[in-house]
Structure formats: C-alpha cells, structure tokens
Amino acid sequence: PQDMVITCGLGHLMFCFEAVAECPAFVTELVNFAPDFAIGLYKAAKSKDFDKVREYADRLSLYDRFISDCAQRRGALPTVLSPASGGSEIPLYQSIIKSAMGLVGLPSGKVREPMENITAEEKEELKNVLKRMGVL
C-alpha cells in the first residue's frame, strides 16, 4: 500500500546495496554509539555516492570483524536463535554495543546472563577499532 514503508532490517550491513533499489531507511545499532557514522552512511548511500559508501563500508568492516573475532574466541554461545539468523555473534553483540557506548561517554552497563560481557582486553581492542573507524 501507499502508506507502508519497508526498511532494511539488516541495517548497515545491507543498506549500501538496498539504497540503490530505493530502500528508504535502515535499522542499526550504530546509532547507539556512532550516530554521525550511521547518518553519514545513510546520506552517502541515498545520494548514490558510491566512493563514499565504500569508504564507510571499509571502516565498518573493522567493527564487523571485531564482532566476529570475539565470537570465534568463545566458540558456541548460548542463544535461542537459529544459526541461520546471524550465527554465533548474536548473543555477544549487545555487550559490544554497551561497551562502545561507554567508550564514547554514554551511559551503558553490562549484559545479563546467559549473555557474556566482553573482556577488558576486548574492550581495549574495541577502543582501537572505534578510533580507526573515526568514531573516537
């Protein structure tokens, strides 16, 4: 219908590709700790500035790789979700978001069991990732 809007639920991971097909928006955890980054990606994709989109995607790959590396270090994490819906990163990414919020100076906290909080070493690694992304 005319009054229904479909957005990209896989957020920043897929919006770069879906904006070309006139997808109007996306949902992303980046707004919790890097809103300027998320808005910059949105504007670049909507204006079809693919050189800029690639710059954002390259910087974003650092964050995505960090999440994957944290998950791989832990092995199987408890989740009620199917591996098809996101894999082993799902139960961990909330802790990463909370840690990133703390690193940029926003109120955050710890996740509750059965989820895991990232370690002090991983928090330092995340800090370096956010610096390299231009968030810090």
Side-chain angles (χ1 to χ4, degrees), residues 35-99:
D36 292 340
F37 189 98
I39 291 168
L41 172 62
Y42 171 81
K43 287 180 177 179
K46 289 302 284 182
S47 66
K48 296 181 174 59
D49 182 347
F50 298 115
D51 290 332
K52 194 72 158 171
V53 168
R54 184 182 179 121
E55 288 175 27
Y56 277 102
D58 288 346
R59 290 168 37 207
L60 194 53
S61 70
L62 302 168
Y63 175 72
D64 292 331
R65 170 59 59 196
F66 172 75
I67 294 172
S68 178
D69 289 348
C70 285
Q72 287 179 3
R73 285 191 279 264
R74 284 166 175 75
L77 292 171
T79 181
V80 296
L81 300 173
S82 159
S85 65
S88 60
E89 295 89 356
I90 293 294
L92 189 62
Y93 87 99
Q94 292 91 345
S95 174
I96 294 170
I97 294 167
K98 286 178 170 272
S99 295

XYZ file of all heavy atoms in Angstrom, residues 35-99:
507
model
N 26.204 7.737 15.980
C 25.114 8.245 15.137
C 25.602 9.016 13.917
O 25.010 8.903 12.840
C 24.298 9.128 16.079
C 25.231 9.473 17.199
C 26.167 8.311 17.332
N 26.672 9.777 14.047
C 27.187 10.522 12.894
C 27.665 9.581 11.799
O 27.498 9.853 10.612
C 28.318 11.457 13.318
C 27.836 12.595 14.206
O 26.622 12.902 14.190
O 28.668 13.173 14.926
N 28.266 8.475 12.204
C 28.722 7.462 11.253
C 27.520 6.883 10.510
O 27.515 6.789 9.283
C 29.485 6.353 11.988
C 30.175 5.387 11.086
C 31.518 5.518 10.806
C 29.490 4.325 10.518
C 32.169 4.611 9.969
C 30.121 3.413 9.687
C 31.464 3.568 9.410
N 26.473 6.492 11.259
C 25.277 5.897 10.661
C 24.603 6.880 9.699
O 24.193 6.498 8.596
C 24.309 5.456 11.749
N 24.508 8.130 10.096
C 23.871 9.143 9.244
C 24.728 9.406 8.006
O 24.203 9.575 6.910
C 23.603 10.427 10.036
C 22.502 10.159 11.073
C 23.215 11.583 9.119
C 22.345 11.247 12.118
N 26.040 9.418 8.179
C 26.926 9.602 7.026
C 26.775 8.481 6.012
O 26.714 8.730 4.796
N 26.703 7.254 6.499
C 26.490 6.102 5.614
C 25.155 6.241 4.890
O 25.061 6.038 3.677
C 26.532 4.804 6.419
C 26.138 3.534 5.678
C 27.076 3.262 4.512
C 26.111 2.353 6.632
N 24.121 6.597 5.641
C 22.786 6.785 5.060
C 22.821 7.828 3.944
O 22.338 7.587 2.840
C 21.807 7.197 6.162
C 20.467 7.628 5.631
C 19.509 6.682 5.281
C 20.167 8.973 5.452
C 18.278 7.071 4.774
C 18.945 9.376 4.953
C 17.999 8.422 4.612
O 16.792 8.812 4.106
N 23.393 8.982 4.230
C 23.420 10.072 3.242
C 24.228 9.691 2.003
O 23.829 10.003 0.876
C 23.979 11.344 3.871
C 23.007 12.007 4.829
C 23.604 13.266 5.441
C 22.602 13.966 6.338
N 23.176 15.165 6.963
N 25.354 9.018 2.209
C 26.175 8.606 1.069
C 25.424 7.613 0.190
O 25.438 7.725 -1.042
C 27.490 8.003 1.558
N 24.759 6.656 0.810
C 24.026 5.648 0.035
C 22.822 6.263 -0.672
O 22.567 5.961 -1.842
C 23.589 4.500 0.946
N 22.084 7.128 0.033
C 20.899 7.742 -0.584
C 21.276 8.647 -1.757
O 20.537 8.744 -2.733
C 20.106 8.546 0.451
C 19.381 7.695 1.465
C 18.399 6.722 0.852
C 17.145 7.424 0.400
N 16.134 6.507 -0.152
N 22.436 9.300 -1.670
C 22.857 10.178 -2.764
C 23.641 9.418 -3.843
O 24.106 10.023 -4.803
C 23.691 11.332 -2.219
O 24.917 10.850 -1.695
N 23.752 8.105 -3.637
C 24.451 7.225 -4.585
C 25.909 7.632 -4.796
O 26.462 7.502 -5.872
C 23.688 7.142 -5.899
C 22.307 6.503 -5.737
C 21.578 6.420 -7.051
C 20.290 5.678 -6.973
N 19.269 6.134 -6.100
N 26.516 8.134 -3.721
C 27.940 8.474 -3.730
C 28.702 7.197 -3.347
O 29.063 6.987 -2.193
C 28.211 9.597 -2.730
C 29.664 10.039 -2.723
O 30.522 9.330 -3.299
O 29.947 11.086 -2.108
N 28.914 6.336 -4.323
C 29.440 5.007 -4.046
C 30.894 5.014 -3.591
O 31.327 4.094 -2.897
C 29.205 4.087 -5.238
C 27.740 3.907 -5.512
C 27.176 4.372 -6.687
C 26.911 3.304 -4.575
C 25.818 4.229 -6.925
C 25.563 3.157 -4.793
C 25.012 3.619 -5.973
N 31.649 6.029 -3.952
C 33.005 6.130 -3.411
C 32.950 6.349 -1.903
O 33.693 5.736 -1.137
C 33.776 7.273 -4.078
C 34.124 6.968 -5.527
O 34.267 5.773 -5.867
O 34.248 7.929 -6.314
N 32.036 7.200 -1.465
C 31.867 7.471 -0.038
C 31.283 6.240 0.669
O 31.704 5.907 1.783
C 30.949 8.683 0.148
C 30.971 9.246 1.513
C 32.276 9.954 1.730
C 32.154 10.971 2.825
N 33.442 11.515 3.208
N 30.340 5.571 0.032
C 29.771 4.344 0.608
C 30.875 3.317 0.833
O 30.930 2.676 1.876
C 28.656 3.758 -0.293
C 28.270 2.351 0.139
C 27.437 4.659 -0.299
N 31.762 3.199 -0.140
C 32.869 2.242 0.004
C 33.770 2.618 1.170
O 34.231 1.752 1.912
C 33.669 2.156 -1.291
C 34.761 1.115 -1.200
C 35.591 1.072 -2.459
N 36.612 0.081 -2.276
C 36.776 -0.969 -3.046
N 35.977 -1.161 -4.070
N 37.736 -1.821 -2.806
N 34.029 3.909 1.356
C 34.832 4.354 2.496
C 34.173 3.935 3.813
O 34.841 3.428 4.711
C 35.003 5.872 2.477
C 35.922 6.390 1.403
C 35.937 7.915 1.374
O 35.695 8.556 2.418
O 36.188 8.468 0.286
N 32.860 4.170 3.913
C 32.139 3.763 5.117
C 32.175 2.245 5.290
O 32.380 1.749 6.393
C 30.687 4.251 5.078
C 30.530 5.675 5.532
C 30.370 6.709 4.625
C 30.537 5.995 6.886
C 30.219 8.019 5.032
C 30.389 7.306 7.313
C 30.237 8.308 6.388
O 30.102 9.596 6.811
N 31.956 1.524 4.209
C 31.961 0.054 4.284
C 33.321 -0.471 4.719
O 33.404 -1.406 5.526
C 31.556 -0.539 2.932
N 34.388 0.127 4.214
C 35.731 -0.304 4.610
C 35.969 -0.055 6.099
O 36.512 -0.905 6.799
C 36.802 0.420 3.784
C 36.875 -0.059 2.348
O 36.299 -1.129 2.031
O 37.496 0.641 1.527
N 35.550 1.109 6.590
C 35.711 1.406 8.016
C 34.810 0.515 8.866
O 35.198 0.060 9.940
C 35.421 2.887 8.271
C 36.502 3.777 7.683
C 36.192 5.245 7.617
N 35.449 5.793 8.717
C 34.658 6.865 8.606
N 34.505 7.464 7.449
N 34.020 7.338 9.648
N 33.628 0.250 8.366
C 32.681 -0.590 9.084
C 33.140 -2.037 9.160
O 32.837 -2.747 10.123
C 31.315 -0.507 8.395
C 30.117 -1.039 9.129
C 30.006 -0.421 10.513
C 28.867 -0.740 8.319
N 33.907 -2.472 8.188
C 34.405 -3.855 8.206
C 35.289 -4.110 9.429
O 35.363 -5.236 9.920
C 35.151 -4.180 6.907
O 36.379 -3.477 6.851
N 35.930 -3.079 9.947
C 36.743 -3.219 11.162
C 35.862 -3.617 12.348
O 36.220 -4.487 13.146
C 37.460 -1.911 11.485
C 38.388 -1.357 10.415
C 38.786 0.072 10.745
C 39.603 -2.246 10.275
N 34.707 -2.992 12.471
C 33.758 -3.283 13.547
C 33.173 -4.686 13.385
O 33.114 -5.464 14.341
C 32.661 -2.216 13.529
C 31.531 -2.446 14.498
C 31.711 -2.270 15.862
C 30.269 -2.802 14.036
C 30.657 -2.461 16.751
C 29.225 -2.987 14.916
C 29.417 -2.819 16.269
O 28.374 -3.007 17.135
N 32.761 -5.007 12.173
C 32.177 -6.325 11.922
C 33.198 -7.439 12.174
O 32.866 -8.481 12.732
C 31.627 -6.406 10.500
C 30.427 -5.499 10.305
O 29.695 -5.242 11.283
O 30.218 -5.027 9.170
N 34.435 -7.206 11.795
C 35.498 -8.197 12.025
C 35.731 -8.365 13.527
O 35.925 -9.470 14.018
C 36.787 -7.762 11.329
C 38.033 -8.565 11.681
C 37.957 -10.043 11.392
N 37.699 -10.272 9.994
C 37.288 -11.440 9.508
N 37.137 -12.473 10.286
N 37.053 -11.580 8.238
N 35.696 -7.278 14.279
C 35.865 -7.346 15.729
C 34.786 -8.217 16.354
O 35.071 -9.076 17.188
C 35.845 -5.937 16.334
C 35.815 -5.948 17.831
C 36.959 -6.251 18.560
C 34.645 -5.694 18.521
C 36.934 -6.295 19.953
C 34.604 -5.721 19.900
C 35.754 -6.027 20.621
N 33.530 -8.009 15.959
C 32.435 -8.822 16.494
C 32.667 -10.299 16.181
O 32.540 -11.164 17.049
C 31.073 -8.356 15.932
C 30.749 -6.956 16.433
C 29.964 -9.338 16.324
C 29.515 -6.345 15.785
N 33.025 -10.584 14.960
C 33.267 -11.968 14.545
C 34.427 -12.589 15.321
O 34.345 -13.731 15.782
C 33.556 -11.999 13.043
O 33.835 -13.296 12.619
N 35.504 -11.831 15.489
C 36.667 -12.342 16.229
C 36.313 -12.643 17.683
O 36.726 -13.671 18.227
C 37.830 -11.347 16.176
C 38.473 -11.259 14.800
O 38.183 -12.113 13.932
O 39.254 -10.316 14.599
N 35.538 -11.764 18.316
C 35.121 -12.001 19.703
C 34.304 -13.283 19.802
O 34.486 -14.079 20.723
C 34.295 -10.828 20.233
S 35.253 -9.367 20.644
N 33.397 -13.468 18.868
C 32.551 -14.658 18.877
C 33.380 -15.920 18.647
O 33.175 -16.933 19.326
C 31.465 -14.540 17.819
N 34.318 -15.865 17.730
C 35.142 -17.041 17.444
C 36.009 -17.433 18.632
O 36.244 -18.614 18.870
C 36.016 -16.790 16.211
C 35.223 -16.812 14.930
C 36.081 -16.539 13.711
O 37.292 -16.387 13.803
N 35.445 -16.470 12.562
N 36.459 -16.472 19.398
C 37.270 -16.786 20.579
C 36.476 -17.570 21.618
O 37.033 -18.314 22.403
C 37.801 -15.499 21.217
C 38.941 -14.853 20.464
C 39.588 -13.758 21.284
N 38.870 -12.510 21.252
C 39.141 -11.494 20.438
N 40.120 -11.591 19.565
N 38.454 -10.381 20.496
N 35.174 -17.374 21.638
C 34.337 -18.010 22.642
C 33.788 -19.358 22.210
O 33.313 -20.117 23.028
C 33.168 -17.091 22.994
C 33.613 -15.963 23.868
C 32.553 -14.882 23.937
N 32.943 -13.850 24.884
C 33.860 -12.940 24.643
N 34.497 -12.922 23.495
N 34.164 -12.038 25.556
N 33.749 -19.625 20.943
C 33.123 -20.865 20.492
C 31.609 -20.703 20.523
O 31.074 -19.633 20.277
N 30.911 -21.745 20.896
C 29.448 -21.720 20.911
C 28.939 -20.897 22.091
O 29.301 -21.131 23.234
C 28.897 -23.136 20.994
N 28.115 -19.915 21.790
C 27.486 -19.089 22.814
C 26.009 -19.459 22.899
O 25.394 -19.821 21.903
C 27.617 -17.609 22.459
C 29.028 -17.046 22.498
C 29.049 -15.649 21.907
C 29.560 -17.010 23.906
N 25.419 -19.351 24.073
C 24.011 -19.714 24.200
C 23.108 -18.735 23.463
O 23.298 -17.525 23.537
C 23.762 -19.630 25.713
C 24.813 -18.720 26.224
C 26.000 -18.888 25.320
N 22.169 -19.261 22.706
C 21.189 -18.438 22.008
C 19.960 -19.271 21.695
O 20.064 -20.478 21.492
C 21.770 -17.845 20.712
O 20.770 -17.037 20.091
C 22.236 -18.900 19.745
N 18.825 -18.627 21.673
C 17.597 -19.304 21.274
C 17.362 -19.128 19.783
O 16.431 -19.695 19.230
C 16.369 -18.768 22.057
C 16.516 -19.066 23.514
C 16.170 -17.288 21.820
N 18.218 -18.350 19.134
C 18.066 -18.086 17.717
C 18.750 -19.148 16.886
O 19.754 -19.732 17.285
C 18.653 -16.711 17.373
C 18.023 -15.527 18.099
C 18.808 -14.267 17.792
C 16.579 -15.369 17.708
N 18.235 -19.357 15.709
C 18.826 -20.292 14.767
C 20.145 -19.734 14.249
O 20.272 -18.525 14.048
C 17.864 -20.498 13.596
O 18.530 -20.983 12.473
N 21.133 -20.603 14.018
C 22.381 -20.113 13.406
C 22.131 -19.404 12.078
O 22.877 -18.518 11.686
C 23.199 -21.381 13.193
C 22.650 -22.362 14.172
C 21.190 -22.021 14.330
N 21.043 -19.749 11.407
C 20.717 -19.121 10.133
C 20.341 -17.655 10.302
O 20.388 -16.884 9.356
C 19.568 -19.878 9.463
N 19.990 -17.247 11.522
C 19.567 -15.858 11.722
C 20.705 -14.946 12.142
O 20.480 -13.812 12.500
C 18.450 -15.797 12.768
O 18.939 -16.210 14.019
N 21.934 -15.407 12.113
C 23.016 -14.499 12.426
C 24.255 -15.156 12.972
O 25.285 -14.524 13.100
N 24.177 -16.393 13.339
C 25.368 -17.092 13.788
C 25.720 -16.804 15.229
O 24.920 -16.311 16.016
N 26.958 -17.093 15.564
C 27.400 -17.031 16.953
C 27.591 -15.616 17.470
O 27.798 -15.416 18.658
C 28.703 -17.810 17.102
O 29.699 -17.247 16.274
N 27.510 -14.598 16.602
C 27.703 -13.224 17.043
C 26.494 -12.678 17.791
O 26.615 -11.767 18.600
C 28.005 -12.291 15.853
C 29.305 -12.577 15.149
C 29.158 -13.586 14.026
O 28.053 -14.130 13.835
O 30.162 -13.856 13.351
N 25.315 -13.220 17.533
C 24.070 -12.661 18.072
C 24.095 -12.483 19.587
O 23.787 -11.409 20.076
C 22.860 -13.517 17.630
C 22.653 -13.420 16.116
C 21.585 -13.122 18.366
C 22.238 -12.065 15.594
N 24.466 -13.494 20.394
C 24.398 -13.295 21.844
C 25.484 -12.374 22.398
O 25.470 -12.062 23.574
C 24.578 -14.696 22.416
C 24.498 -15.624 21.277
C 24.784 -14.854 20.041
N 26.419 -11.952 21.581
C 27.536 -11.150 22.052
C 27.445 -9.685 21.663
O 27.960 -8.820 22.361
C 28.832 -11.747 21.494
C 30.140 -11.196 22.020
C 30.262 -11.454 23.519
C 31.297 -11.835 21.288
N 26.736 -9.398 20.590
C 26.825 -8.033 20.074
C 26.226 -6.997 21.012
O 26.641 -5.845 21.004
C 26.273 -7.942 18.652
C 24.794 -7.696 18.536
C 24.317 -6.415 18.285
C 23.881 -8.730 18.653
C 22.964 -6.178 18.156
C 22.528 -8.496 18.531
C 22.075 -7.222 18.288
O 20.741 -6.987 18.160
N 25.256 -7.383 21.870
C 24.705 -6.412 22.810
C 25.782 -5.927 23.782
O 25.826 -4.752 24.139
C 23.529 -7.002 23.598
C 22.311 -7.257 22.758
C 22.281 -8.657 22.171
O 23.280 -9.372 22.145
N 21.128 -9.059 21.686
N 26.648 -6.828 24.211
C 27.750 -6.446 25.095
C 28.708 -5.490 24.388
O 29.211 -4.539 24.990
C 28.497 -7.697 25.558
O 29.643 -7.344 26.292
N 28.934 -5.732 23.123
C 29.815 -4.869 22.345
C 29.196 -3.482 22.189
O 29.879 -2.464 22.335
C 30.157 -5.519 20.990
C 30.999 -6.786 21.239
C 30.865 -4.543 20.063
C 31.206 -7.659 20.025
N 27.897 -3.431 21.942
C 27.213 -2.138 21.827
C 27.331 -1.372 23.138
O 27.670 -0.184 23.160
C 25.730 -2.333 21.461
C 25.586 -2.921 20.073
C 24.967 -1.007 21.562
C 24.189 -3.430 19.762
N 27.048 -2.045 24.260
C 27.124 -1.384 25.566
C 28.547 -0.889 25.841
O 28.742 0.211 26.346
C 26.650 -2.323 26.666
C 25.145 -2.511 26.674
C 24.758 -3.504 27.762
C 23.270 -3.531 27.969
N 22.810 -2.549 28.935
N 29.530 -1.683 25.508
C 30.921 -1.278 25.716
C 31.274 -0.083 24.838
O 31.949 0.851 25.284
C 31.867 -2.444 25.423
O 31.658 -3.478 26.358
